[in-house]
Amino acid sequence: MDNIIEINDVSVTYQKDSSVIHAISHLTLNIKRGSFVAILGRNGSGKSTLAKLLNASLLPDSGEIFVDGINTTNEERAFDIRSKVGMVFQNPDNQMVATIIEDDLAFGPENLGIPREEIRKRVDWALKTVGMYEHRMRATQKLSGGQKQRVAIAAVLAMSPEVLILDEATAMLDPRGRSEVMDTARKLNKEKNITVVLITHYMDEAVDVDEIVVLDSGCIATKGSPLEVFEQIDIIKNTGLEFPTATETSLKLRGLGYDIPVVLTDESLVEALCQLK
Ligand code: ADP
Ligand code: MG
């Protein structure tokens, strides 16, 4: 698999009053095309800054970022990068531009000057993909939080993206809305080969991803498969993270002297318990 995103020794600072905030410090990271990556880290660790770097809405102070081989500083390709890397944010109410769902989806492609016929096709396809086609004539404000976020994802899809970034896109949703959005993201990754970058505070959303990257003070504290990452108990605690629910239980049982492995899911927890003598 090749890299859809390459981040080479990137730093970003913000000026706040008289002090300098090092939001991202000498970060190097590749994201494989078609992978599902979770970015974890406490508030202020640099996750949203990293997300903005990936679609060129923010440029690095130093270092380079390539999206599908295009340097994000290349102004002539800024439009390409914006359509290749779509973002969905936390607040479902801040992302709608039109009152009717299908108009909302047509807005982005219209701005790109895409022909009407093609827009129609893309909008219908995007709405079907997120399971909102039958609602296409409804008012955006009448939807549930989960439905709004699925429409926001559809709006990104209508731009034919390579990468979908969800920046805490499930944070304001109820459990049902969260699973609607997560199921949609997994489906796009599996069926459409869209690379997903999931920024989340819910550790349970990260148990089945391809790779986890843990940020701390703008640096990578650790990365690897979910099991590799959550087995590093001290790093998880020191970076202010929690454990997935099943992992937490397995750690408690280990603390009580039960001989079971660190697990990520309920299924493997049950399996481990059944193996106990
Ligand atoms: P996260 O998304 O992980 O919470 P952010 O990337 O939003 O982290 O922020 C990283 C650091 O940069 C924090 O210390 C935050 O306060 C600071 N920061 C973010 N955006 C700005 C900004 N526009 N101006 C000044 N400081 C900022
Ligand atoms: Mg953030």
Side-chain angles (χ1 to χ4, degrees):
M1 258 199 296
D2 60 337
N3 295 324
I4 181 76
I5 287 170
E6 291 185 12
I7 304 168
N8 299 328
D9 196 21
V10 161
S11 297
V12 175
T13 55
Y14 295 112
Q15 205 74 38
K16 200 173 194 181
D17 306 322
S18 56
S19 61
V20 177
I21 296 164
H22 295 273
I24 295 288
S25 295
H26 297 288
L27 189 127
T28 295
L29 176 70
N30 291 333
I31 295 180
K32 291 195 179 83
R33 193 187 298 273
S35 62
F36 197 122
V37 178
I39 311 273
L40 309 178
R42 71 176 110 224
N43 278 336
S45 58
K47 304 180 300 295
S48 294
T49 301
L50 178 58
K52 287 175 199 153
L53 288 168
L54 300 185
N55 85 337
S57 41
L58 183 72
L59 298 176
D61 295 344
S62 62
E64 288 172 320
I65 296 161
F66 294 92
V67 173
D68 212 4
I70 310 167
N71 193 320
T72 60
T73 56
N74 185 344
E75 282 173 28
E76 284 162 24
R77 306 295 301 278
F79 244 39
D80 289 340
I81 292 172
R82 294 284 168 83
S83 43
K84 278 179 195 287
V85 183
M87 285 224 235
V88 176
F89 301 95
Q90 188 166 14
N91 190 336
D93 293 316
N94 293 347
Q95 301 181 69
M96 311 280 174
V97 290
T99 47
I100 301 298
I101 292 174
E102 63 172 15
D103 298 343
D104 189 74
L105 262 70
F107 187 81
E110 271 167 8
N111 275 351
L112 288 184
I114 290 162
R116 209 163 256 279
E117 276 297 290
E118 168 71 14
I119 294 179
R120 177 80 267 154
K121 270 193 229 155
R122 283 194 191 190
V123 167
D124 288 353
W125 173 79
L127 284 171
K128 282 176 188 161
T129 305
V130 304
M132 289 296 291
Y133 183 70
E134 63 274 31
H135 299 289
R136 64 192 178 282
M137 300 304 285
R138 283 179 67 193
T140 46
Q141 291 317 312
K142 294 267 165 66
L143 304 175
S144 71
Q147 288 175 325
K148 283 179 186 167
Q149 290 298 61
R150 282 191 284 150
V151 170
I153 292 174
V156 168
L157 288 184
M159 306 290 280
S160 309
E162 303 269 355
V163 182
L164 171 65
I165 302 179
L166 301 170
D167 189 354
E168 301 195 29
T170 60
M172 294 176 71
L173 306 180
D174 59 15
R176 178 171 166 184
R178 283 213 296 277
S179 65
E180 284 174 15
V181 169
M182 286 304 297
D183 289 348
T184 305
R186 287 192 195 100
K187 176 176 150 183
L188 292 174
N189 178 250
K190 292 272 171 308
E191 294 174 12
K192 314 290 178 199
N193 203 36
I194 291 176
T195 308
V196 176
V197 178
L198 172 77
I199 298 173
T200 185
H201 277 297
Y202 296 104
M203 300 301 129
D204 285 322
E205 292 178 351
V207 296
D208 61 351
V209 301
D210 297 316
E211 185 171 39
I212 292 178
V213 178
V214 178
L215 287 188
D216 194 29
S217 306
C219 300
I220 296 177
T222 187
K223 64 176 177 154
S225 71
L227 197 55
E228 284 165 354
V229 166
F230 286 116
E231 273 180 342
Q232 301 179 64
I233 296 161
D234 290 338
I235 292 184
I236 296 298
K237 288 182 178 165
N238 291 338
T239 51
L241 297 180
E242 290 170 355
F243 292 96
T245 322
T247 313
E248 181 77 45
T249 309
S250 67
L251 291 174
K252 269 189 199 145
L253 290 169
R254 284 161 70 95
L256 292 171
Y258 292 97
D259 179 24
I260 64 166
V262 176
V263 300
L264 296 173
T265 63
D266 292 348
E267 290 75 19
S268 25
L269 181 61
V270 170
E271 212 171 286
L273 291 174
C274 289
Q275 306 261 317
L276 276 181
K277 299 280 154 13

